[in-house]
Amino acid sequence: MEMNSSNLWVFIETNEKGQAHNVGLELLNPGHSLSRAQGDEVVAIVIGQHTEAAVASAEAYGSDRIIIVEGEEYARYSTDAFAYAFHALITKYAPTSILIGATDLGRDLAPRLACRLKTGLTADCTELDFDEESGNIAWTRPAFGGNLMARILCPNHRPQIGTVRPAVFKKPEQDTSHKAEIVREEIHFSIENIRTKLIEEILDADNETIDLEGAEIIVSGGRGVGGPDGFKVIQQLADALGGTVGASRVAVDSGWISSAHQVGQTGKTVRPRIYIACGISGAIQHLAAMSSSDTIIAINTDPEAPIFKIADYGIVGDLFKVIPEFIALIDEQ
Ligand code: FAD
């Protein structure tokens, strides 16, 4: 193994148009603070067929170095080709730590890499910091059904690998004049050896259009909404504010709204400017994924509901009375 660097790597996931997924750019933010704490550089890894757009983003969001692997075999994600290329890079450069977005792609790729490297994987992290005492990254993730947050150190294995949920971190400041060192690696994987073949693509219409992670305003409904019709009121408030509809898991599991709207440990992590929780009690699995919102407003009939503990503004009342009044006030503006 060529031990010529000890850097922290951030995987920049791309879509089929070659654009960077937000989560990779967000991870450059903790990537910077954690790599500086260890005297390292932050290195972005871009694998794809056409990588210019993603490389430009990785550069503008502050990567010190960008390692690019390009080829037609990387036009669409496959476990075989991506794990092969990424593993070859790790073997050559020996990074200390690797951050990967906890997207569908990242949740597939990261465990494959960890297994090939015989190292651990801390999956689905919601917080990262540097543990000064041991000199390790501290990876925080929900454990035991989200009932406690585990802070995990990996003192004995390198590289240490973790996946981090989208929208946990804000993207760093963009600076289009920033220049990164660009390194191109020729690593190829035969297309014939990719064992998965795309037969048909069935798009989930809701998943395509609902961008909870990027939403500035979210109006969420829970069990208190009472049924699918109750979500019409939630939608009206979201429309009045130019926001997006979210939901608790109970509302999704009850079939009142599609899973694309679910906020929480097993749904999406969000950090909008304004989060309005309507008829949501504030279970830890829900709070874990929305408590970083800038302003939280809760509407609940129960003054003891835990959601009020984290709300900036709380309204004790029936959402079916409060929301129409809310909308009327907005209409007056
Ligand atoms: P409830 O807890 O039943 O709360 C309903 C609230 O509505 C109550 O506070 C009530 O006072 C209020 N209310 C009733 N009527 C009205 C009214 N007319 N007006 C105003 N308020 C009213 N949950 C998630 O949300 N997301 C997840 O991703 C998630 N993942 C999970 C993962 C695991 C492993 C586990 C074990 C659980 C998970 N949960 C998740 C479930 C979570 O524990 C809670 O059960 C769930 O969040 C509760 O949803 P709720 O707040 O809508 O319902």
Side-chain angles (χ1 to χ4, degrees):
M1 191 182 278
E2 202 178 312
M3 297 288 285
N4 57 353
S5 84
S6 59
N7 293 314
L8 183 146
W9 284 11
V10 173
F11 177 57
I12 307 293
E13 178 180 334
T14 52
N15 62 20
E16 277 150 33
K17 291 181 192 144
Q19 294 152 335
H21 188 298
N22 273 341
V23 69
L25 305 175
E26 290 160 11
L27 290 181
L28 289 170
N29 198 350
H32 272 294
S33 41
L34 293 170
S35 60
R36 300 292 183 261
Q38 297 171 94
D40 287 350
E41 291 185 317
V42 61
V43 179
I45 304 299
V46 183
I47 303 174
Q49 182 175 26
H50 302 293
T51 60
E52 300 79 13
V55 168
S57 299
E59 192 162 39
Y61 284 100
S63 310
D64 295 311
R65 190 182 312 157
I66 305 173
I67 303 180
I68 306 165
V69 178
E70 260 185 5
E72 58 175 344
E73 64 273 42
Y74 309 117
R76 177 185 287 279
Y77 176 73
S78 75
T79 313
D80 286 325
F82 274 63
Y84 176 83
F86 211 136
H87 180 252
L89 292 177
I90 296 168
T91 308
K92 177 167 180 184
Y93 289 100
T96 51
S97 322
I98 304 173
L99 308 183
I100 297 177
T103 58
D104 290 347
L105 189 161
R107 284 172 172 155
D108 182 76
L109 178 63
R112 300 289 177 142
L113 290 174
C115 187
R116 282 182 192 205
L117 295 160
K118 298 193 169 35
T119 187
L121 169 70
T122 314
D124 252 17
C125 297
T126 52
E127 206 179 314
L128 301 173
D129 63 286
F130 188 68
D131 184 64
E132 297 282 352
E133 204 180 317
S134 68
N136 287 286
I137 293 176
W139 312 77
T140 300
R141 69 179 304 277
F144 297 104
N147 287 309
L148 65 83
M149 301 304 281
R151 194 162 177 271
I152 296 169
L153 303 179
C154 307
N156 300 324
H157 291 279
R158 292 292 180 270
Q160 48 189 332
I161 307 182
T163 58
V164 181
R165 301 189 62 147
V168 164
F169 292 99
K170 283 188 175 153
K171 282 192 259 185
E173 289 295 313
Q174 192 176 9
D175 174 5
T176 47
S177 66
H178 173 77
K179 291 287 163 233
E181 181 192 344
I182 305 288
V183 180
R184 290 186 180 275
E185 288 289 345
E186 287 298 325
I187 301 171
H188 291 287
F189 190 85
S190 160
I191 289 180
E192 288 74 53
N193 290 338
I194 297 177
R195 286 170 293 175
T196 45
K197 304 279 175 241
L198 181 73
I199 296 165
E200 189 187 357
E201 204 167 17
I202 302 167
L203 297 177
D204 175 339
D206 267 1
N207 249 335
E208 286 297 297
T209 50
I210 309 297
D211 179 17
L212 272 179
E213 286 150 347
E216 292 264 297
I217 298 174
I218 295 176
V219 185
S220 275
R223 199 197 303 270
V225 159
D229 282 348
F231 269 96
K232 290 183 187 152
V233 181
I234 302 293
Q235 183 71 60
Q236 283 164 7
L237 180 55
D239 290 345
L241 293 167
T244 304
V245 172
S248 74
R249 176 159 157 182
V250 166
V252 170
D253 286 353
S254 306
W256 301 346
I257 190 159
S258 85
S259 60
H261 296 266
Q262 187 181 320
V263 173
Q265 188 194 325
T266 39
K268 308 255 171 63
T269 300
V270 298
R271 53 178 318 145
R273 272 195 306 114
I274 303 173
Y275 189 90
I276 308 180
C278 310
I280 292 177
S281 61
I284 188 161
Q285 296 89 354
H286 191 85
L287 302 186
M290 46 64 73
S291 54
S292 304
S293 307
D294 290 345
T295 301
I296 297 170
I297 302 170
I299 306 171
N300 199 303
T301 44
D302 175 7
E304 302 297 323
I307 191 80
F308 287 128
K309 292 203 176 90
I310 62 146
D312 299 287
Y313 301 96
I315 303 165
V316 178
D318 182 342
L319 68 93
F320 293 102
K321 292 199 180 119
V322 175
I323 291 179
E325 287 176 27
F326 213 159
I327 294 172
L329 282 173
I330 296 164
D331 289 346
E332 276 173 26
Q333 300 292 306

PDB file of all heavy atoms in Angstrom, residues 1 10 13 15 23 77-78 81 86 107 112 122 148 171 181 184 220 227 242 256 258 262 273 275 288 298 312:
ATOM      1  N   MET A   1       0.838  -1.198   0.000  1.00  0.00           N
ATOM      2  CA  MET A   1       0.000   0.000   0.000  1.00  0.00           C
ATOM      3  C   MET A   1       0.875   1.251   0.000  1.00  0.00           C
ATOM      4  O   MET A   1       1.784   1.356   0.801  1.00  0.00           O
ATOM      5  CB  MET A   1      -0.895  -0.016   1.241  1.00  0.00           C
ATOM      6  CG  MET A   1      -1.965   1.033   1.210  1.00  0.00           C
ATOM      7  SD  MET A   1      -2.967   1.030   2.714  1.00  0.00           S
ATOM      8  CE  MET A   1      -4.106  -0.291   2.352  1.00  0.00           C
ATOM      9  N   VAL A  10     -14.051  12.928   1.103  1.00  0.00           N
ATOM     10  CA  VAL A  10     -15.506  13.100   1.013  1.00  0.00           C
ATOM     11  C   VAL A  10     -15.937  12.611  -0.364  1.00  0.00           C
ATOM     12  O   VAL A  10     -15.402  13.056  -1.386  1.00  0.00           O
ATOM     13  CB  VAL A  10     -15.895  14.592   1.193  1.00  0.00           C
ATOM     14  CG1 VAL A  10     -17.380  14.790   0.920  1.00  0.00           C
ATOM     15  CG2 VAL A  10     -15.547  15.079   2.595  1.00  0.00           C
ATOM     16  N   GLU A  13     -21.203  12.318  -4.467  1.00  0.00           N
ATOM     17  CA  GLU A  13     -22.141  11.524  -5.286  1.00  0.00           C
ATOM     18  C   GLU A  13     -22.683  12.398  -6.410  1.00  0.00           C
ATOM     19  O   GLU A  13     -22.922  13.590  -6.219  1.00  0.00           O
ATOM     20  CB  GLU A  13     -23.287  11.052  -4.369  1.00  0.00           C
ATOM     21  CG  GLU A  13     -24.356  10.274  -5.095  1.00  0.00           C
ATOM     22  CD  GLU A  13     -25.471   9.812  -4.156  1.00  0.00           C
ATOM     23  OE1 GLU A  13     -25.232   9.641  -2.937  1.00  0.00           O
ATOM     24  OE2 GLU A  13     -26.588   9.609  -4.657  1.00  0.00           O
ATOM     25  N   ASN A  15     -25.480  12.718  -9.916  1.00  0.00           N
ATOM     26  CA  ASN A  15     -26.647  12.134 -10.578  1.00  0.00           C
ATOM     27  C   ASN A  15     -26.268  11.807 -12.024  1.00  0.00           C
ATOM     28  O   ASN A  15     -25.115  11.987 -12.431  1.00  0.00           O
ATOM     29  CB  ASN A  15     -27.859  13.067 -10.479  1.00  0.00           C
ATOM     30  CG  ASN A  15     -27.626  14.402 -11.171  1.00  0.00           C
ATOM     31  OD1 ASN A  15     -26.738  14.525 -12.022  1.00  0.00           O
ATOM     32  ND2 ASN A  15     -28.404  15.402 -10.812  1.00  0.00           N
ATOM     33  N   VAL A  23     -25.592  16.284  -0.658  1.00  0.00           N
ATOM     34  CA  VAL A  23     -24.999  15.723   0.564  1.00  0.00           C
ATOM     35  C   VAL A  23     -23.468  15.719   0.512  1.00  0.00           C
ATOM     36  O   VAL A  23     -22.801  15.984   1.523  1.00  0.00           O
ATOM     37  CB  VAL A  23     -25.567  14.317   0.886  1.00  0.00           C
ATOM     38  CG1 VAL A  23     -25.116  13.270  -0.113  1.00  0.00           C
ATOM     39  CG2 VAL A  23     -25.182  13.890   2.292  1.00  0.00           C
ATOM     40  N   TYR A  77     -24.682   4.449 -11.504  1.00  0.00           N
ATOM     41  CA  TYR A  77     -24.101   3.750 -10.358  1.00  0.00           C
ATOM     42  C   TYR A  77     -24.273   2.238 -10.469  1.00  0.00           C
ATOM     43  O   TYR A  77     -25.366   1.751 -10.761  1.00  0.00           O
ATOM     44  CB  TYR A  77     -24.743   4.221  -9.044  1.00  0.00           C
ATOM     45  CG  TYR A  77     -24.226   3.433  -7.856  1.00  0.00           C
ATOM     46  CD1 TYR A  77     -22.948   3.635  -7.383  1.00  0.00           C
ATOM     47  CD2 TYR A  77     -25.002   2.452  -7.250  1.00  0.00           C
ATOM     48  CE1 TYR A  77     -22.442   2.893  -6.313  1.00  0.00           C
ATOM     49  CE2 TYR A  77     -24.516   1.708  -6.184  1.00  0.00           C
ATOM     50  CZ  TYR A  77     -23.231   1.940  -5.723  1.00  0.00           C
ATOM     51  OH  TYR A  77     -22.745   1.195  -4.669  1.00  0.00           O
ATOM     52  N   SER A  78     -23.199   1.518 -10.254  1.00  0.00           N
ATOM     53  CA  SER A  78     -23.290   0.067 -10.045  1.00  0.00           C
ATOM     54  C   SER A  78     -22.354  -0.256  -8.890  1.00  0.00           C
ATOM     55  O   SER A  78     -21.272   0.333  -8.767  1.00  0.00           O
ATOM     56  CB  SER A  78     -22.869  -0.713 -11.294  1.00  0.00           C
ATOM     57  OG  SER A  78     -21.468  -0.670 -11.432  1.00  0.00           O
ATOM     58  N   ALA A  81     -18.727  -1.631 -10.195  1.00  0.00           N
ATOM     59  CA  ALA A  81     -17.738  -0.712 -10.761  1.00  0.00           C
ATOM     60  C   ALA A  81     -17.297   0.340  -9.741  1.00  0.00           C
ATOM     61  O   ALA A  81     -16.101   0.634  -9.613  1.00  0.00           O
ATOM     62  CB  ALA A  81     -18.312  -0.040 -12.007  1.00  0.00           C
ATOM     63  N   PHE A  86     -13.361   2.794  -6.158  1.00  0.00           N
ATOM     64  CA  PHE A  86     -13.133   3.461  -4.872  1.00  0.00           C
ATOM     65  C   PHE A  86     -12.107   2.672  -4.054  1.00  0.00           C
ATOM     66  O   PHE A  86     -11.195   3.237  -3.449  1.00  0.00           O
ATOM     67  CB  PHE A  86     -14.462   3.570  -4.107  1.00  0.00           C
ATOM     68  CG  PHE A  86     -14.554   4.788  -3.227  1.00  0.00           C
ATOM     69  CD1 PHE A  86     -15.712   5.558  -3.196  1.00  0.00           C
ATOM     70  CD2 PHE A  86     -13.504   5.178  -2.409  1.00  0.00           C
ATOM     71  CE1 PHE A  86     -15.813   6.686  -2.391  1.00  0.00           C
ATOM     72  CE2 PHE A  86     -13.591   6.295  -1.594  1.00  0.00           C
ATOM     73  CZ  PHE A  86     -14.761   7.052  -1.581  1.00  0.00           C
ATOM     74  N   ARG A 107     -25.549   4.172   0.962  1.00  0.00           N
ATOM     75  CA  ARG A 107     -25.840   3.055   1.875  1.00  0.00           C
ATOM     76  C   ARG A 107     -25.505   1.723   1.228  1.00  0.00           C
ATOM     77  O   ARG A 107     -25.444   0.700   1.905  1.00  0.00           O
ATOM     78  CB  ARG A 107     -27.313   3.088   2.285  1.00  0.00           C
ATOM     79  CG  ARG A 107     -27.605   4.157   3.305  1.00  0.00           C
ATOM     80  CD  ARG A 107     -29.079   4.293   3.554  1.00  0.00           C
ATOM     81  NE  ARG A 107     -29.341   5.193   4.667  1.00  0.00           N
ATOM     82  CZ  ARG A 107     -30.462   5.866   4.819  1.00  0.00           C
ATOM     83  NH1 ARG A 107     -31.432   5.755   3.948  1.00  0.00           N
ATOM     84  NH2 ARG A 107     -30.620   6.657   5.857  1.00  0.00           N
ATOM     85  N   ARG A 112     -19.924  -1.973   1.283  1.00  0.00           N
ATOM     86  CA  ARG A 112     -19.078  -2.784   0.387  1.00  0.00           C
ATOM     87  C   ARG A 112     -17.604  -2.438   0.602  1.00  0.00           C
ATOM     88  O   ARG A 112     -16.747  -3.301   0.662  1.00  0.00           O
ATOM     89  CB  ARG A 112     -19.407  -2.510  -1.087  1.00  0.00           C
ATOM     90  CG  ARG A 112     -20.809  -2.803  -1.469  1.00  0.00           C
ATOM     91  CD  ARG A 112     -21.042  -4.295  -1.490  1.00  0.00           C
ATOM     92  NE  ARG A 112     -22.430  -4.542  -1.802  1.00  0.00           N
ATOM     93  CZ  ARG A 112     -22.847  -5.540  -2.564  1.00  0.00           C
ATOM     94  NH1 ARG A 112     -21.985  -6.390  -3.073  1.00  0.00           N
ATOM     95  NH2 ARG A 112     -24.121  -5.699  -2.800  1.00  0.00           N
ATOM     96  N   THR A 122     -19.613   3.307  10.427  1.00  0.00           N
ATOM     97  CA  THR A 122     -20.611   3.923  11.298  1.00  0.00           C
ATOM     98  C   THR A 122     -21.658   4.527  10.375  1.00  0.00           C
ATOM     99  O   THR A 122     -21.404   5.517   9.691  1.00  0.00           O
ATOM    100  CB  THR A 122     -19.967   5.008  12.191  1.00  0.00           C
ATOM    101  OG1 THR A 122     -18.755   4.478  12.734  1.00  0.00           O
ATOM    102  CG2 THR A 122     -20.893   5.382  13.322  1.00  0.00           C
ATOM    103  N   LEU A 148     -31.493   6.321  21.949  1.00  0.00           N
ATOM    104  CA  LEU A 148     -30.314   7.032  22.441  1.00  0.00           C
ATOM    105  C   LEU A 148     -29.394   7.346  21.268  1.00  0.00           C
ATOM    106  O   LEU A 148     -29.485   6.710  20.212  1.00  0.00           O
ATOM    107  CB  LEU A 148     -29.582   6.246  23.541  1.00  0.00           C
ATOM    108  CG  LEU A 148     -28.914   4.919  23.234  1.00  0.00           C
ATOM    109  CD1 LEU A 148     -27.526   5.142  22.649  1.00  0.00           C
ATOM    110  CD2 LEU A 148     -28.770   4.120  24.528  1.00  0.00           C
ATOM    111  N   LYS A 171     -24.131  23.324   3.583  1.00  0.00           N
ATOM    112  CA  LYS A 171     -22.992  23.409   2.657  1.00  0.00           C
ATOM    113  C   LYS A 171     -22.062  24.533   3.121  1.00  0.00           C
ATOM    114  O   LYS A 171     -22.533  25.542   3.668  1.00  0.00           O
ATOM    115  CB  LYS A 171     -23.498  23.756   1.252  1.00  0.00           C
ATOM    116  CG  LYS A 171     -24.095  22.570   0.530  1.00  0.00           C
ATOM    117  CD  LYS A 171     -24.315  22.889  -0.919  1.00  0.00           C
ATOM    118  CE  LYS A 171     -25.754  23.206  -1.191  1.00  0.00           C
ATOM    119  NZ  LYS A 171     -26.077  23.413  -2.591  1.00  0.00           N
ATOM    120  N   GLU A 181      -6.375  21.208  -6.119  1.00  0.00           N
ATOM    121  CA  GLU A 181      -5.449  20.404  -6.926  1.00  0.00           C
ATOM    122  C   GLU A 181      -6.258  19.260  -7.559  1.00  0.00           C
ATOM    123  O   GLU A 181      -7.012  18.571  -6.863  1.00  0.00           O
ATOM    124  CB  GLU A 181      -4.359  19.825  -6.017  1.00  0.00           C
ATOM    125  CG  GLU A 181      -3.335  19.001  -6.765  1.00  0.00           C
ATOM    126  CD  GLU A 181      -2.437  18.193  -5.823  1.00  0.00           C
ATOM    127  OE1 GLU A 181      -2.406  18.496  -4.606  1.00  0.00           O
ATOM    128  OE2 GLU A 181      -1.783  17.272  -6.309  1.00  0.00           O
ATOM    129  N   ARG A 184      -6.199  13.075 -11.699  1.00  0.00           N
ATOM    130  CA  ARG A 184      -7.017  12.126 -12.482  1.00  0.00           C
ATOM    131  C   ARG A 184      -6.403  10.739 -12.370  1.00  0.00           C
ATOM    132  O   ARG A 184      -5.197  10.579 -12.533  1.00  0.00           O
ATOM    133  CB  ARG A 184      -7.063  12.541 -13.962  1.00  0.00           C
ATOM    134  CG  ARG A 184      -7.867  13.776 -14.162  1.00  0.00           C
ATOM    135  CD  ARG A 184      -8.048  14.133 -15.630  1.00  0.00           C
ATOM    136  NE  ARG A 184      -8.836  15.353 -15.709  1.00  0.00           N
ATOM    137  CZ  ARG A 184     -10.150  15.393 -15.687  1.00  0.00           C
ATOM    138  NH1 ARG A 184     -10.832  14.264 -15.656  1.00  0.00           N
ATOM    139  NH2 ARG A 184     -10.804  16.556 -15.707  1.00  0.00           N
ATOM    140  N   SER A 220     -45.695  20.008   8.537  1.00  0.00           N
ATOM    141  CA  SER A 220     -45.811  18.558   8.713  1.00  0.00           C
ATOM    142  C   SER A 220     -47.047  18.194   9.503  1.00  0.00           C
ATOM    143  O   SER A 220     -47.418  18.887  10.461  1.00  0.00           O
ATOM    144  CB  SER A 220     -44.594  18.020   9.479  1.00  0.00           C
ATOM    145  OG  SER A 220     -43.535  17.755   8.611  1.00  0.00           O
ATOM    146  N   GLY A 227     -56.480  11.686   9.484  1.00  0.00           N
ATOM    147  CA  GLY A 227     -56.776  10.870   8.292  1.00  0.00           C
ATOM    148  C   GLY A 227     -56.302  11.580   7.048  1.00  0.00           C
ATOM    149  O   GLY A 227     -55.805  12.713   7.119  1.00  0.00           O
ATOM    150  N   GLY A 242     -45.855  28.782   0.601  1.00  0.00           N
ATOM    151  CA  GLY A 242     -44.875  28.349  -0.404  1.00  0.00           C
ATOM    152  C   GLY A 242     -43.988  27.243   0.137  1.00  0.00           C
ATOM    153  O   GLY A 242     -42.798  27.173  -0.186  1.00  0.00           O
ATOM    154  N   TRP A 256     -51.993   7.627   5.071  1.00  0.00           N
ATOM    155  CA  TRP A 256     -52.635   8.922   4.826  1.00  0.00           C
ATOM    156  C   TRP A 256     -51.872   9.748   3.804  1.00  0.00           C
ATOM    157  O   TRP A 256     -52.415  10.650   3.194  1.00  0.00           O
ATOM    158  CB  TRP A 256     -52.746   9.734   6.132  1.00  0.00           C
ATOM    159  CG  TRP A 256     -53.520   9.050   7.214  1.00  0.00           C
ATOM    160  CD1 TRP A 256     -54.333   7.951   7.084  1.00  0.00           C
ATOM    161  CD2 TRP A 256     -53.563   9.403   8.600  1.00  0.00           C
ATOM    162  NE1 TRP A 256     -54.867   7.605   8.294  1.00  0.00           N
ATOM    163  CE2 TRP A 256     -54.417   8.482   9.247  1.00  0.00           C
ATOM    164  CE3 TRP A 256     -52.968  10.413   9.362  1.00  0.00           C
ATOM    165  CZ2 TRP A 256     -54.688   8.545  10.606  1.00  0.00           C
ATOM    166  CZ3 TRP A 256     -53.238  10.484  10.726  1.00  0.00           C
ATOM    167  CH2 TRP A 256     -54.082   9.559  11.338  1.00  0.00           C
ATOM    168  N   SER A 258     -47.866   9.641   1.268  1.00  0.00           N
ATOM    169  CA  SER A 258     -46.803   8.728   0.809  1.00  0.00           C
ATOM    170  C   SER A 258     -45.523   8.905   1.628  1.00  0.00           C
ATOM    171  O   SER A 258     -45.279   9.960   2.232  1.00  0.00           O
ATOM    172  CB  SER A 258     -46.521   8.942  -0.676  1.00  0.00           C
ATOM    173  OG  SER A 258     -45.611   9.991  -0.836  1.00  0.00           O
ATOM    174  N   GLN A 262     -42.113  11.565   4.593  1.00  0.00           N
ATOM    175  CA  GLN A 262     -41.791  11.248   5.995  1.00  0.00           C
ATOM    176  C   GLN A 262     -40.521  11.920   6.497  1.00  0.00           C
ATOM    177  O   GLN A 262     -39.453  11.805   5.907  1.00  0.00           O
ATOM    178  CB  GLN A 262     -41.657   9.735   6.194  1.00  0.00           C
ATOM    179  CG  GLN A 262     -41.505   9.369   7.679  1.00  0.00           C
ATOM    180  CD  GLN A 262     -41.357   7.879   7.894  1.00  0.00           C
ATOM    181  OE1 GLN A 262     -42.022   7.092   7.236  1.00  0.00           O
ATOM    182  NE2 GLN A 262     -40.489   7.497   8.813  1.00  0.00           N
ATOM    183  N   ARG A 273     -35.854  26.635   7.070  1.00  0.00           N
ATOM    184  CA  ARG A 273     -35.905  27.886   7.845  1.00  0.00           C
ATOM    185  C   ARG A 273     -37.051  27.804   8.844  1.00  0.00           C
ATOM    186  O   ARG A 273     -36.925  28.208   9.983  1.00  0.00           O
ATOM    187  CB  ARG A 273     -36.124  29.075   6.892  1.00  0.00           C
ATOM    188  CG  ARG A 273     -34.841  29.644   6.335  1.00  0.00           C
ATOM    189  CD  ARG A 273     -35.050  31.009   5.701  1.00  0.00           C
ATOM    190  NE  ARG A 273     -36.094  31.027   4.698  1.00  0.00           N
ATOM    191  CZ  ARG A 273     -37.229  31.696   4.814  1.00  0.00           C
ATOM    192  NH1 ARG A 273     -37.480  32.406   5.889  1.00  0.00           N
ATOM    193  NH2 ARG A 273     -38.119  31.662   3.837  1.00  0.00           N
ATOM    194  N   TYR A 275     -40.147  25.155  10.342  1.00  0.00           N
ATOM    195  CA  TYR A 275     -40.790  23.832  10.409  1.00  0.00           C
ATOM    196  C   TYR A 275     -42.037  23.963  11.273  1.00  0.00           C
ATOM    197  O   TYR A 275     -41.958  24.375  12.434  1.00  0.00           O
ATOM    198  CB  TYR A 275     -39.825  22.814  11.032  1.00  0.00           C
ATOM    199  CG  TYR A 275     -40.325  21.387  10.945  1.00  0.00           C
ATOM    200  CD1 TYR A 275     -40.013  20.594   9.842  1.00  0.00           C
ATOM    201  CD2 TYR A 275     -41.122  20.833  11.956  1.00  0.00           C
ATOM    202  CE1 TYR A 275     -40.475  19.287   9.750  1.00  0.00           C
ATOM    203  CE2 TYR A 275     -41.586  19.533  11.863  1.00  0.00           C
ATOM    204  CZ  TYR A 275     -41.257  18.761  10.761  1.00  0.00           C
ATOM    205  OH  TYR A 275     -41.718  17.467  10.660  1.00  0.00           O
ATOM    206  N   ALA A 288     -35.162  13.884  16.004  1.00  0.00           N
ATOM    207  CA  ALA A 288     -33.767  13.678  15.569  1.00  0.00           C
ATOM    208  C   ALA A 288     -33.538  14.214  14.168  1.00  0.00           C
ATOM    209  O   ALA A 288     -32.415  14.534  13.797  1.00  0.00           O
ATOM    210  CB  ALA A 288     -33.422  12.198  15.628  1.00  0.00           C
ATOM    211  N   ALA A 298     -45.030  24.703  16.739  1.00  0.00           N
ATOM    212  CA  ALA A 298     -45.812  23.488  17.004  1.00  0.00           C
ATOM    213  C   ALA A 298     -47.260  23.847  17.290  1.00  0.00           C
ATOM    214  O   ALA A 298     -47.535  24.810  18.028  1.00  0.00           O
ATOM    215  CB  ALA A 298     -45.204  22.722  18.177  1.00  0.00           C
ATOM    216  N   ASP A 312     -39.850  26.888  19.008  1.00  0.00           N
ATOM    217  CA  ASP A 312     -39.616  28.314  19.282  1.00  0.00           C
ATOM    218  C   ASP A 312     -40.950  29.005  19.563  1.00  0.00           C
ATOM    219  O   ASP A 312     -41.024  29.930  20.344  1.00  0.00           O
ATOM    220  CB  ASP A 312     -38.937  28.955  18.062  1.00  0.00           C
ATOM    221  CG  ASP A 312     -37.590  28.318  17.777  1.00  0.00           C
ATOM    222  OD1 ASP A 312     -36.660  28.580  18.545  1.00  0.00           O
ATOM    223  OD2 ASP A 312     -37.473  27.520  16.822  1.00  0.00           O
TER     224      ASP A 312
END
